[in-house]
PDB file of all heavy atoms in Angstrom:
ATOM      1  N   GLY B   1       3.990   1.569 -13.910  1.00  0.00           N
ATOM      2  CA  GLY B   1       4.204   1.149 -15.288  1.00  0.00           C
ATOM      3  C   GLY B   1       5.528   0.409 -15.462  1.00  0.00           C
ATOM      4  O   GLY B   1       5.589  -0.631 -16.127  1.00  0.00           O
ATOM      5  N   LEU B   2       6.599   0.935 -14.849  1.00  0.00           N
ATOM      6  CA  LEU B   2       7.900   0.281 -14.932  1.00  0.00           C
ATOM      7  C   LEU B   2       7.853  -1.101 -14.294  1.00  0.00           C
ATOM      8  O   LEU B   2       8.346  -2.090 -14.860  1.00  0.00           O
ATOM      9  CB  LEU B   2       8.967   1.134 -14.242  1.00  0.00           C
ATOM     10  CG  LEU B   2      10.340   0.460 -14.054  1.00  0.00           C
ATOM     11  CD1 LEU B   2      11.017   0.247 -15.399  1.00  0.00           C
ATOM     12  CD2 LEU B   2      11.227   1.258 -13.124  1.00  0.00           C
ATOM     13  N   ILE B   3       7.251  -1.178 -13.112  1.00  0.00           N
ATOM     14  CA  ILE B   3       7.245  -2.447 -12.382  1.00  0.00           C
ATOM     15  C   ILE B   3       6.424  -3.498 -13.121  1.00  0.00           C
ATOM     16  O   ILE B   3       6.809  -4.675 -13.203  1.00  0.00           O
ATOM     17  CB  ILE B   3       6.730  -2.228 -10.946  1.00  0.00           C
ATOM     18  CG1 ILE B   3       7.716  -1.325 -10.185  1.00  0.00           C
ATOM     19  CG2 ILE B   3       6.573  -3.563 -10.217  1.00  0.00           C
ATOM     20  CD1 ILE B   3       7.229  -0.808  -8.868  1.00  0.00           C
ATOM     21  N   ARG B   4       5.300  -3.089 -13.698  1.00  0.00           N
ATOM     22  CA  ARG B   4       4.502  -4.050 -14.469  1.00  0.00           C
ATOM     23  C   ARG B   4       5.265  -4.498 -15.722  1.00  0.00           C
ATOM     24  O   ARG B   4       5.210  -5.677 -16.095  1.00  0.00           O
ATOM     25  CB  ARG B   4       3.144  -3.444 -14.836  1.00  0.00           C
ATOM     26  CG  ARG B   4       2.227  -3.281 -13.632  1.00  0.00           C
ATOM     27  CD  ARG B   4       0.771  -3.104 -14.004  1.00  0.00           C
ATOM     28  NE  ARG B   4      -0.043  -2.930 -12.813  1.00  0.00           N
ATOM     29  CZ  ARG B   4      -0.472  -3.940 -12.048  1.00  0.00           C
ATOM     30  NH1 ARG B   4      -0.159  -5.189 -12.369  1.00  0.00           N
ATOM     31  NH2 ARG B   4      -1.211  -3.701 -10.981  1.00  0.00           N
ATOM     32  N   TYR B   5       5.957  -3.576 -16.362  1.00  0.00           N
ATOM     33  CA  TYR B   5       6.741  -3.933 -17.548  1.00  0.00           C
ATOM     34  C   TYR B   5       7.802  -4.972 -17.184  1.00  0.00           C
ATOM     35  O   TYR B   5       7.975  -5.982 -17.884  1.00  0.00           O
ATOM     36  CB  TYR B   5       7.398  -2.693 -18.146  1.00  0.00           C
ATOM     37  CG  TYR B   5       8.249  -3.000 -19.357  1.00  0.00           C
ATOM     38  CD1 TYR B   5       7.692  -3.018 -20.632  1.00  0.00           C
ATOM     39  CD2 TYR B   5       9.609  -3.283 -19.223  1.00  0.00           C
ATOM     40  CE1 TYR B   5       8.470  -3.315 -21.744  1.00  0.00           C
ATOM     41  CE2 TYR B   5      10.383  -3.583 -20.329  1.00  0.00           C
ATOM     42  CZ  TYR B   5       9.808  -3.599 -21.582  1.00  0.00           C
ATOM     43  OH  TYR B   5      10.578  -3.905 -22.675  1.00  0.00           O
ATOM     44  N   VAL B   6       8.529  -4.725 -16.100  1.00  0.00           N
ATOM     45  CA  VAL B   6       9.580  -5.656 -15.671  1.00  0.00           C
ATOM     46  C   VAL B   6       8.984  -7.016 -15.333  1.00  0.00           C
ATOM     47  O   VAL B   6       9.508  -8.069 -15.735  1.00  0.00           O
ATOM     48  CB  VAL B   6      10.351  -5.073 -14.470  1.00  0.00           C
ATOM     49  CG1 VAL B   6      11.265  -6.124 -13.853  1.00  0.00           C
ATOM     50  CG2 VAL B   6      11.163  -3.852 -14.893  1.00  0.00           C
ATOM     51  N   THR B   7       7.872  -7.014 -14.602  1.00  0.00           N
ATOM     52  CA  THR B   7       7.234  -8.270 -14.203  1.00  0.00           C
ATOM     53  C   THR B   7       6.785  -9.082 -15.410  1.00  0.00           C
ATOM     54  O   THR B   7       6.965 -10.304 -15.461  1.00  0.00           O
ATOM     55  CB  THR B   7       6.026  -7.972 -13.292  1.00  0.00           C
ATOM     56  OG1 THR B   7       6.473  -7.248 -12.140  1.00  0.00           O
ATOM     57  CG2 THR B   7       5.356  -9.265 -12.834  1.00  0.00           C
ATOM     58  N   GLU B   8       6.220  -8.405 -16.390  1.00  0.00           N
ATOM     59  CA  GLU B   8       5.683  -9.104 -17.565  1.00  0.00           C
ATOM     60  C   GLU B   8       6.781  -9.649 -18.479  1.00  0.00           C
ATOM     61  O   GLU B   8       6.567 -10.636 -19.183  1.00  0.00           O
ATOM     62  CB  GLU B   8       4.780  -8.143 -18.354  1.00  0.00           C
ATOM     63  CG  GLU B   8       3.476  -7.821 -17.637  1.00  0.00           C
ATOM     64  CD  GLU B   8       2.738  -6.647 -18.261  1.00  0.00           C
ATOM     65  OE1 GLU B   8       3.214  -6.150 -19.317  1.00  0.00           O
ATOM     66  OE2 GLU B   8       1.710  -6.226 -17.701  1.00  0.00           O
ATOM     67  N   HIS B   9       7.963  -9.038 -18.469  1.00  0.00           N
ATOM     68  CA  HIS B   9       9.014  -9.429 -19.410  1.00  0.00           C
ATOM     69  C   HIS B   9      10.134 -10.250 -18.782  1.00  0.00           C
ATOM     70  O   HIS B   9      11.000 -10.754 -19.502  1.00  0.00           O
ATOM     71  CB  HIS B   9       9.613  -8.186 -20.076  1.00  0.00           C
ATOM     72  CG  HIS B   9       8.702  -7.512 -21.053  1.00  0.00           C
ATOM     73  ND1 HIS B   9       7.708  -6.645 -20.649  1.00  0.00           N
ATOM     74  CD2 HIS B   9       8.607  -7.591 -22.401  1.00  0.00           C
ATOM     75  CE1 HIS B   9       7.052  -6.209 -21.722  1.00  0.00           C
ATOM     76  NE2 HIS B   9       7.577  -6.768 -22.789  1.00  0.00           N
ATOM     77  N   SER B  10      10.143 -10.405 -17.477  1.00  0.00           N
ATOM     78  CA  SER B  10      11.282 -11.039 -16.823  1.00  0.00           C
ATOM     79  C   SER B  10      11.209 -12.562 -16.832  1.00  0.00           C
ATOM     80  O   SER B  10      10.155 -13.156 -16.588  1.00  0.00           O
ATOM     81  CB  SER B  10      11.400 -10.557 -15.374  1.00  0.00           C
ATOM     82  OG  SER B  10      12.539 -11.128 -14.757  1.00  0.00           O
ATOM     83  N   GLN B  11      12.352 -13.185 -17.088  1.00  0.00           N
ATOM     84  CA  GLN B  11      12.519 -14.624 -16.919  1.00  0.00           C
ATOM     85  C   GLN B  11      13.162 -14.953 -15.570  1.00  0.00           C
ATOM     86  O   GLN B  11      13.464 -16.104 -15.283  1.00  0.00           O
ATOM     87  CB  GLN B  11      13.373 -15.188 -18.057  1.00  0.00           C
ATOM     88  CG  GLN B  11      12.762 -15.014 -19.442  1.00  0.00           C
ATOM     89  CD  GLN B  11      13.647 -15.559 -20.545  1.00  0.00           C
ATOM     90  OE1 GLN B  11      14.621 -16.277 -20.284  1.00  0.00           O
ATOM     91  NE2 GLN B  11      13.324 -15.236 -21.797  1.00  0.00           N
ATOM     92  N   ILE B  12      13.345 -13.915 -14.764  1.00  0.00           N
ATOM     93  CA  ILE B  12      14.011 -14.012 -13.462  1.00  0.00           C
ATOM     94  C   ILE B  12      12.996 -13.607 -12.395  1.00  0.00           C
ATOM     95  O   ILE B  12      12.144 -12.757 -12.643  1.00  0.00           O
ATOM     96  CB  ILE B  12      15.218 -13.049 -13.423  1.00  0.00           C
ATOM     97  CG1 ILE B  12      16.146 -13.297 -14.625  1.00  0.00           C
ATOM     98  CG2 ILE B  12      16.000 -13.174 -12.118  1.00  0.00           C
ATOM     99  CD1 ILE B  12      17.097 -12.149 -14.908  1.00  0.00           C
ATOM    100  N   PRO B  13      13.047 -14.204 -11.191  1.00  0.00           N
ATOM    101  CA  PRO B  13      12.138 -13.757 -10.129  1.00  0.00           C
ATOM    102  C   PRO B  13      12.229 -12.249  -9.892  1.00  0.00           C
ATOM    103  O   PRO B  13      13.323 -11.677  -9.889  1.00  0.00           O
ATOM    104  CB  PRO B  13      12.616 -14.536  -8.897  1.00  0.00           C
ATOM    105  CG  PRO B  13      13.236 -15.776  -9.469  1.00  0.00           C
ATOM    106  CD  PRO B  13      13.873 -15.342 -10.768  1.00  0.00           C
ATOM    107  N   VAL B  14      11.058 -11.612  -9.696  1.00  0.00           N
ATOM    108  CA  VAL B  14      10.978 -10.158  -9.542  1.00  0.00           C
ATOM    109  C   VAL B  14      10.333  -9.814  -8.202  1.00  0.00           C
ATOM    110  O   VAL B  14       9.300 -10.384  -7.835  1.00  0.00           O
ATOM    111  CB  VAL B  14      10.137  -9.523 -10.677  1.00  0.00           C
ATOM    112  CG1 VAL B  14      10.004  -8.013 -10.470  1.00  0.00           C
ATOM    113  CG2 VAL B  14      10.747  -9.823 -12.033  1.00  0.00           C
ATOM    114  N   ILE B  15      10.948  -8.896  -7.477  1.00  0.00           N
ATOM    115  CA  ILE B  15      10.315  -8.333  -6.289  1.00  0.00           C
ATOM    116  C   ILE B  15       9.346  -7.259  -6.762  1.00  0.00           C
ATOM    117  O   ILE B  15       9.742  -6.285  -7.404  1.00  0.00           O
ATOM    118  CB  ILE B  15      11.363  -7.717  -5.333  1.00  0.00           C
ATOM    119  CG1 ILE B  15      12.214  -8.817  -4.696  1.00  0.00           C
ATOM    120  CG2 ILE B  15      10.677  -6.882  -4.259  1.00  0.00           C
ATOM    121  CD1 ILE B  15      11.462  -9.744  -3.753  1.00  0.00           C
ATOM    122  N   GLN B  16       8.070  -7.427  -6.439  1.00  0.00           N
ATOM    123  CA  GLN B  16       7.036  -6.538  -6.964  1.00  0.00           C
ATOM    124  C   GLN B  16       6.510  -5.594  -5.886  1.00  0.00           C
ATOM    125  O   GLN B  16       6.333  -5.983  -4.738  1.00  0.00           O
ATOM    126  CB  GLN B  16       5.871  -7.357  -7.523  1.00  0.00           C
ATOM    127  CG  GLN B  16       6.267  -8.278  -8.661  1.00  0.00           C
ATOM    128  CD  GLN B  16       5.189  -9.290  -8.992  1.00  0.00           C
ATOM    129  OE1 GLN B  16       4.209  -9.430  -8.276  1.00  0.00           O
ATOM    130  NE2 GLN B  16       5.377 -10.014 -10.089  1.00  0.00           N
ATOM    131  N   HIS B  17       6.298  -4.370  -6.300  1.00  0.00           N
ATOM    132  CA  HIS B  17       5.615  -3.384  -5.460  1.00  0.00           C
ATOM    133  C   HIS B  17       4.945  -2.417  -6.420  1.00  0.00           C
ATOM    134  O   HIS B  17       5.523  -1.408  -6.816  1.00  0.00           O
ATOM    135  CB  HIS B  17       6.602  -2.658  -4.546  1.00  0.00           C
ATOM    136  CG  HIS B  17       6.035  -1.409  -3.951  1.00  0.00           C
ATOM    137  ND1 HIS B  17       6.752  -0.238  -3.858  1.00  0.00           N
ATOM    138  CD2 HIS B  17       4.809  -1.129  -3.453  1.00  0.00           C
ATOM    139  CE1 HIS B  17       5.992   0.704  -3.326  1.00  0.00           C
ATOM    140  NE2 HIS B  17       4.814   0.194  -3.080  1.00  0.00           N
ATOM    141  N   PHE B  18       3.728  -2.768  -6.848  1.00  0.00           N
ATOM    142  CA  PHE B  18       3.064  -1.990  -7.885  1.00  0.00           C
ATOM    143  C   PHE B  18       2.644  -0.610  -7.395  1.00  0.00           C
ATOM    144  O   PHE B  18       2.855   0.390  -8.060  1.00  0.00           O
ATOM    145  CB  PHE B  18       1.841  -2.750  -8.410  1.00  0.00           C
ATOM    146  CG  PHE B  18       2.203  -4.021  -9.127  1.00  0.00           C
ATOM    147  CD1 PHE B  18       1.761  -5.240  -8.658  1.00  0.00           C
ATOM    148  CD2 PHE B  18       3.002  -3.998 -10.250  1.00  0.00           C
ATOM    149  CE1 PHE B  18       2.102  -6.417  -9.311  1.00  0.00           C
ATOM    150  CE2 PHE B  18       3.351  -5.156 -10.916  1.00  0.00           C
ATOM    151  CZ  PHE B  18       2.895  -6.386 -10.443  1.00  0.00           C
ATOM    152  N   LYS B  19       2.036  -0.539  -6.221  1.00  0.00           N
ATOM    153  CA  LYS B  19       1.622   0.750  -5.684  1.00  0.00           C
ATOM    154  C   LYS B  19       1.301   0.610  -4.203  1.00  0.00           C
ATOM    155  O   LYS B  19       1.236  -0.500  -3.672  1.00  0.00           O
ATOM    156  CB  LYS B  19       0.409   1.305  -6.441  1.00  0.00           C
ATOM    157  CG  LYS B  19      -0.826   0.416  -6.430  1.00  0.00           C
ATOM    158  CD  LYS B  19      -1.931   1.050  -7.276  1.00  0.00           C
ATOM    159  CE  LYS B  19      -3.189   0.183  -7.302  1.00  0.00           C
ATOM    160  NZ  LYS B  19      -4.267   0.809  -8.099  1.00  0.00           N
ATOM    161  N   GLY B  20       1.125   1.751  -3.556  1.00  0.00           N
ATOM    162  CA  GLY B  20       0.815   1.747  -2.130  1.00  0.00           C
ATOM    163  C   GLY B  20      -0.524   2.420  -1.866  1.00  0.00           C
ATOM    164  O   GLY B  20      -0.579   3.645  -1.741  1.00  0.00           O
ATOM    165  N   VAL B  21      -1.595   1.629  -1.832  1.00  0.00           N
ATOM    166  CA  VAL B  21      -2.908   2.171  -1.435  1.00  0.00           C
ATOM    167  C   VAL B  21      -3.058   1.873   0.060  1.00  0.00           C
ATOM    168  O   VAL B  21      -3.542   0.816   0.460  1.00  0.00           O
ATOM    169  CB  VAL B  21      -4.049   1.537  -2.250  1.00  0.00           C
ATOM    170  CG1 VAL B  21      -5.393   2.141  -1.834  1.00  0.00           C
ATOM    171  CG2 VAL B  21      -3.828   1.740  -3.738  1.00  0.00           C
ATOM    172  N   CYS B  22      -2.592   2.804   0.884  1.00  0.00           N
ATOM    173  CA  CYS B  22      -2.541   2.599   2.331  1.00  0.00           C
ATOM    174  C   CYS B  22      -3.827   3.116   2.981  1.00  0.00           C
ATOM    175  O   CYS B  22      -4.265   4.234   2.696  1.00  0.00           O
ATOM    176  CB  CYS B  22      -1.330   3.311   2.923  1.00  0.00           C
ATOM    177  SG  CYS B  22       0.244   2.771   2.216  1.00  0.00           S
ATOM    178  N   HIS B  23      -4.402   2.295   3.846  1.00  0.00           N
ATOM    179  CA  HIS B  23      -5.672   2.617   4.504  1.00  0.00           C
ATOM    180  C   HIS B  23      -5.470   2.995   5.967  1.00  0.00           C
ATOM    181  O   HIS B  23      -4.619   2.423   6.650  1.00  0.00           O
ATOM    182  CB  HIS B  23      -6.616   1.416   4.457  1.00  0.00           C
ATOM    183  CG  HIS B  23      -7.034   1.006   3.073  1.00  0.00           C
ATOM    184  ND1 HIS B  23      -6.245   0.221   2.268  1.00  0.00           N
ATOM    185  CD2 HIS B  23      -8.161   1.281   2.362  1.00  0.00           C
ATOM    186  CE1 HIS B  23      -6.871   0.018   1.108  1.00  0.00           C
ATOM    187  NE2 HIS B  23      -8.023   0.657   1.147  1.00  0.00           N
ATOM    188  N   LEU B  24      -6.301   3.913   6.435  1.00  0.00           N
ATOM    189  CA  LEU B  24      -6.401   4.254   7.859  1.00  0.00           C
ATOM    190  C   LEU B  24      -7.834   4.020   8.292  1.00  0.00           C
ATOM    191  O   LEU B  24      -8.760   4.626   7.733  1.00  0.00           O
ATOM    192  CB  LEU B  24      -6.007   5.712   8.101  1.00  0.00           C
ATOM    193  CG  LEU B  24      -6.281   6.273   9.508  1.00  0.00           C
ATOM    194  CD1 LEU B  24      -5.469   5.527  10.558  1.00  0.00           C
ATOM    195  CD2 LEU B  24      -5.980   7.774   9.553  1.00  0.00           C
ATOM    196  N   PHE B  25      -8.027   3.134   9.276  1.00  0.00           N
ATOM    197  CA  PHE B  25      -9.362   2.859   9.811  1.00  0.00           C
ATOM    198  C   PHE B  25      -9.482   3.469  11.206  1.00  0.00           C
ATOM    199  O   PHE B  25      -8.730   3.124  12.112  1.00  0.00           O
ATOM    200  CB  PHE B  25      -9.623   1.358   9.868  1.00  0.00           C
ATOM    201  CG  PHE B  25     -10.887   0.983  10.601  1.00  0.00           C
ATOM    202  CD1 PHE B  25     -12.088   1.652  10.374  1.00  0.00           C
ATOM    203  CD2 PHE B  25     -10.876  -0.051  11.535  1.00  0.00           C
ATOM    204  CE1 PHE B  25     -13.250   1.312  11.053  1.00  0.00           C
ATOM    205  CE2 PHE B  25     -12.042  -0.402  12.221  1.00  0.00           C
ATOM    206  CZ  PHE B  25     -13.228   0.284  11.980  1.00  0.00           C
ATOM    207  N   ILE B  26     -10.440   4.399  11.355  1.00  0.00           N
ATOM    208  CA  ILE B  26     -10.722   4.999  12.649  1.00  0.00           C
ATOM    209  C   ILE B  26     -11.871   4.220  13.282  1.00  0.00           C
ATOM    210  O   ILE B  26     -13.031   4.336  12.877  1.00  0.00           O
ATOM    211  CB  ILE B  26     -11.096   6.491  12.518  1.00  0.00           C
ATOM    212  CG1 ILE B  26     -10.046   7.247  11.672  1.00  0.00           C
ATOM    213  CG2 ILE B  26     -11.246   7.126  13.899  1.00  0.00           C
ATOM    214  CD1 ILE B  26      -8.647   7.195  12.216  1.00  0.00           C
ATOM    215  N   ASP B  27     -11.530   3.392  14.260  1.00  0.00           N
ATOM    216  CA  ASP B  27     -12.505   2.536  14.926  1.00  0.00           C
ATOM    217  C   ASP B  27     -13.383   3.367  15.872  1.00  0.00           C
ATOM    218  O   ASP B  27     -13.013   4.481  16.263  1.00  0.00           O
ATOM    219  CB  ASP B  27     -11.761   1.448  15.699  1.00  0.00           C
ATOM    220  CG  ASP B  27     -12.696   0.447  16.348  1.00  0.00           C
ATOM    221  OD1 ASP B  27     -13.706   0.078  15.717  1.00  0.00           O
ATOM    222  OD2 ASP B  27     -12.416   0.034  17.494  1.00  0.00           O
ATOM    223  N   LYS B  28     -14.519   2.825  16.264  1.00  0.00           N
ATOM    224  CA  LYS B  28     -15.415   3.561  17.167  1.00  0.00           C
ATOM    225  C   LYS B  28     -14.806   3.748  18.553  1.00  0.00           C
ATOM    226  O   LYS B  28     -15.255   4.609  19.325  1.00  0.00           O
ATOM    227  CB  LYS B  28     -16.767   2.868  17.266  1.00  0.00           C
ATOM    228  CG  LYS B  28     -16.779   1.513  17.957  1.00  0.00           C
ATOM    229  CD  LYS B  28     -18.204   0.977  18.026  1.00  0.00           C
ATOM    230  CE  LYS B  28     -18.288  -0.379  18.702  1.00  0.00           C
ATOM    231  NZ  LYS B  28     -19.685  -0.868  18.785  1.00  0.00           N
ATOM    232  N   PHE B  29     -13.774   2.968  18.874  1.00  0.00           N
ATOM    233  CA  PHE B  29     -13.102   3.104  20.163  1.00  0.00           C
ATOM    234  C   PHE B  29     -11.777   3.870  20.033  1.00  0.00           C
ATOM    235  O   PHE B  29     -10.878   3.732  20.860  1.00  0.00           O
ATOM    236  CB  PHE B  29     -12.843   1.723  20.778  1.00  0.00           C
ATOM    237  CG  PHE B  29     -14.098   0.952  21.076  1.00  0.00           C
ATOM    238  CD1 PHE B  29     -14.411  -0.194  20.368  1.00  0.00           C
ATOM    239  CD2 PHE B  29     -14.982   1.390  22.060  1.00  0.00           C
ATOM    240  CE1 PHE B  29     -15.570  -0.905  20.641  1.00  0.00           C
ATOM    241  CE2 PHE B  29     -16.146   0.697  22.332  1.00  0.00           C
ATOM    242  CZ  PHE B  29     -16.449  -0.453  21.618  1.00  0.00           C
ATOM    243  N   ALA B  30     -11.657   4.678  19.002  1.00  0.00           N
ATOM    244  CA  ALA B  30     -10.415   5.421  18.770  1.00  0.00           C
ATOM    245  C   ALA B  30     -10.267   6.589  19.730  1.00  0.00           C
ATOM    246  O   ALA B  30     -11.257   7.196  20.164  1.00  0.00           O
ATOM    247  CB  ALA B  30     -10.381   5.948  17.331  1.00  0.00           C
ATOM    248  N   ASP B  31      -9.017   6.915  20.052  1.00  0.00           N
ATOM    249  CA  ASP B  31      -8.687   8.162  20.735  1.00  0.00           C
ATOM    250  C   ASP B  31      -8.688   9.248  19.651  1.00  0.00           C
ATOM    251  O   ASP B  31      -7.895   9.193  18.700  1.00  0.00           O
ATOM    252  CB  ASP B  31      -7.317   8.043  21.390  1.00  0.00           C
ATOM    253  CG  ASP B  31      -6.877   9.315  22.104  1.00  0.00           C
ATOM    254  OD1 ASP B  31      -6.794  10.366  21.438  1.00  0.00           O
ATOM    255  OD2 ASP B  31      -6.583   9.249  23.308  1.00  0.00           O
ATOM    256  N   ILE B  32      -9.566  10.241  19.780  1.00  0.00           N
ATOM    257  CA  ILE B  32      -9.765  11.233  18.729  1.00  0.00           C
ATOM    258  C   ILE B  32      -8.494  12.018  18.422  1.00  0.00           C
ATOM    259  O   ILE B  32      -8.150  12.242  17.250  1.00  0.00           O
ATOM    260  CB  ILE B  32     -10.911  12.197  19.096  1.00  0.00           C
ATOM    261  CG1 ILE B  32     -12.249  11.444  19.137  1.00  0.00           C
ATOM    262  CG2 ILE B  32     -10.994  13.343  18.096  1.00  0.00           C
ATOM    263  CD1 ILE B  32     -12.678  10.904  17.799  1.00  0.00           C
ATOM    264  N   ASN B  33      -7.787  12.442  19.452  1.00  0.00           N
ATOM    265  CA  ASN B  33      -6.574  13.224  19.216  1.00  0.00           C
ATOM    266  C   ASN B  33      -5.522  12.414  18.462  1.00  0.00           C
ATOM    267  O   ASN B  33      -4.886  12.911  17.524  1.00  0.00           O
ATOM    268  CB  ASN B  33      -5.993  13.717  20.548  1.00  0.00           C
ATOM    269  CG  ASN B  33      -6.847  14.801  21.178  1.00  0.00           C
ATOM    270  OD1 ASN B  33      -7.509  15.572  20.466  1.00  0.00           O
ATOM    271  ND2 ASN B  33      -6.840  14.880  22.496  1.00  0.00           N
ATOM    272  N   LYS B  34      -5.350  11.161  18.878  1.00  0.00           N
ATOM    273  CA  LYS B  34      -4.409  10.288  18.160  1.00  0.00           C
ATOM    274  C   LYS B  34      -4.850  10.123  16.708  1.00  0.00           C
ATOM    275  O   LYS B  34      -4.037  10.167  15.781  1.00  0.00           O
ATOM    276  CB  LYS B  34      -4.337   8.914  18.834  1.00  0.00           C
ATOM    277  CG  LYS B  34      -3.684   8.888  20.196  1.00  0.00           C
ATOM    278  CD  LYS B  34      -3.720   7.468  20.770  1.00  0.00           C
ATOM    279  CE  LYS B  34      -3.178   7.417  22.186  1.00  0.00           C
ATOM    280  NZ  LYS B  34      -3.312   6.061  22.777  1.00  0.00           N
ATOM    281  N   ALA B  35      -6.141   9.931  16.514  1.00  0.00           N
ATOM    282  CA  ALA B  35      -6.667   9.677  15.174  1.00  0.00           C
ATOM    283  C   ALA B  35      -6.409  10.859  14.239  1.00  0.00           C
ATOM    284  O   ALA B  35      -5.986  10.673  13.086  1.00  0.00           O
ATOM    285  CB  ALA B  35      -8.162   9.370  15.247  1.00  0.00           C
ATOM    286  N   VAL B  36      -6.661  12.067  14.721  1.00  0.00           N
ATOM    287  CA  VAL B  36      -6.442  13.262  13.891  1.00  0.00           C
ATOM    288  C   VAL B  36      -4.968  13.419  13.551  1.00  0.00           C
ATOM    289  O   VAL B  36      -4.597  13.667  12.385  1.00  0.00           O
ATOM    290  CB  VAL B  36      -6.980  14.522  14.599  1.00  0.00           C
ATOM    291  CG1 VAL B  36      -6.561  15.782  13.833  1.00  0.00           C
ATOM    292  CG2 VAL B  36      -8.494  14.462  14.716  1.00  0.00           C
ATOM    293  N   ASN B  37      -4.103  13.260  14.550  1.00  0.00           N
ATOM    294  CA  ASN B  37      -2.665  13.420  14.310  1.00  0.00           C
ATOM    295  C   ASN B  37      -2.126  12.373  13.333  1.00  0.00           C
ATOM    296  O   ASN B  37      -1.300  12.680  12.464  1.00  0.00           O
ATOM    297  CB  ASN B  37      -1.899  13.334  15.633  1.00  0.00           C
ATOM    298  CG  ASN B  37      -2.149  14.537  16.522  1.00  0.00           C
ATOM    299  OD1 ASN B  37      -2.500  15.611  16.025  1.00  0.00           O
ATOM    300  ND2 ASN B  37      -1.976  14.374  17.820  1.00  0.00           N
ATOM    301  N   ILE B  38      -2.589  11.131  13.472  1.00  0.00           N
ATOM    302  CA  ILE B  38      -2.131  10.048  12.595  1.00  0.00           C
ATOM    303  C   ILE B  38      -2.619  10.277  11.172  1.00  0.00           C
ATOM    304  O   ILE B  38      -1.890  10.045  10.193  1.00  0.00           O
ATOM    305  CB  ILE B  38      -2.584   8.684  13.151  1.00  0.00           C
ATOM    306  CG1 ILE B  38      -1.771   8.346  14.403  1.00  0.00           C
ATOM    307  CG2 ILE B  38      -2.455   7.579  12.103  1.00  0.00           C
ATOM    308  CD1 ILE B  38      -2.286   7.154  15.187  1.00  0.00           C
ATOM    309  N   LEU B  39      -3.845  10.780  11.018  1.00  0.00           N
ATOM    310  CA  LEU B  39      -4.369  11.099   9.693  1.00  0.00           C
ATOM    311  C   LEU B  39      -3.545  12.197   9.030  1.00  0.00           C
ATOM    312  O   LEU B  39      -3.113  12.060   7.876  1.00  0.00           O
ATOM    313  CB  LEU B  39      -5.836  11.539   9.799  1.00  0.00           C
ATOM    314  CG  LEU B  39      -6.427  12.187   8.535  1.00  0.00           C
ATOM    315  CD1 LEU B  39      -6.463  11.193   7.378  1.00  0.00           C
ATOM    316  CD2 LEU B  39      -7.813  12.754   8.829  1.00  0.00           C
TER     317      LEU B  39
END
């Protein structure tokens, strides 16, 4: 909410980072132990 407010009201360039929707993809060739630990 803060970042969107700043972006919408600024007359100055803004560094934006609205949110972090980070994905983990476990491929069919994954090492299972690594995959579980990383998750």
Side-chain angles (χ1 to χ4, degrees):
L2 170 68
I3 295 169
R4 290 198 181 279
Y5 179 88
V6 170
T7 301
E8 290 167 5
H9 289 81
S10 183
Q11 298 179 12
I12 307 162
V14 177
I15 290 294
Q16 299 167 351
H17 164 223
F18 294 119
K19 59 183 180 179
V21 181
C22 302
H23 296 82
L24 170 63
F25 171 46
I26 309 301
D27 184 40
K28 68 178 180 179
F29 297 112
D31 179 301
I32 294 295
N33 289 330
K34 291 178 185 176
V36 171
N37 290 336
I38 288 170
L39 168 64

